[in-house]
Amino acid sequence: LQLHHTSSYRCKGYVSLVVSHWSKSEQVTVTVHRVPPLGVSLSVQPQGGQVAFGDSLVLSSAVAMGTGPLSFSWHQEGSGAPLGTGPHLELRHVGDNDSGQYRCWVSNGESVAKSDPMNVTVL
């Protein structure tokens, strides 16, 4: 099912008993809803979220359930603007300001699910 399948439906058929005629069922309304995103989890490379100053780190988001299209938004605790909008966030040439907690917000246009925070430490 897709969202555009939301509509009213009925069945119509030709009945040929004693007197032939067209017959139709009562109308039924079908409403298709998106499944909200649930179970947003994060993984990090290198494992453990510890990275040497100047190296790169990749955060990845996975969604256990949800119908799309899904959009992703990455956030660092204490910073305002989103850092990225894909299922992966690559931090290149990390510095002291990159240490902290990161979250990914996943939306299907109707609802938003947030991951638990992932700690990143720049050594």
Side-chain angles (χ1 to χ4, degrees), residues 6-110:
T6 294
S7 189
S8 295
Y9 295 90
R10 68 174 53 185
C11 181
K12 188 164 110 174
Y14 190 72
V15 180
S16 64
L17 296 170
V18 176
V19 177
S20 298
H21 66 281
W22 283 96
S23 182
K24 60 185 175 182
S25 70
E26 293 294 320
Q27 188 168 302
V28 63
T29 300
V30 175
T31 304
V32 181
H33 297 279
R34 290 183 176 151
V35 175
L38 296 171
V40 180
S41 60
L42 300 182
S43 60
V44 62
Q45 283 297 331
Q47 289 184 342
Q50 294 187 341
V51 60
F53 188 92
D55 283 352
S56 295
L57 175 125
V58 177
L59 293 160
S60 298
S61 178
V63 182
M65 183 184 304
T67 54
L70 298 176
S71 62
F72 298 82
S73 178
W74 289 92
H75 302 268
Q76 181 182 17
E77 293 290 322
S79 94
L83 303 172
T85 57
H88 308 285
L89 175 67
E90 183 174 3
L91 302 176
R92 297 181 183 178
H93 312 292
V94 296
D96 294 330
N97 292 338
D98 294 314
S99 286
Q101 292 188 331
Y102 290 79
R103 288 182 185 263
C104 183
W105 300 1
V106 180
S107 172
N108 68 353
E110 293 179 0

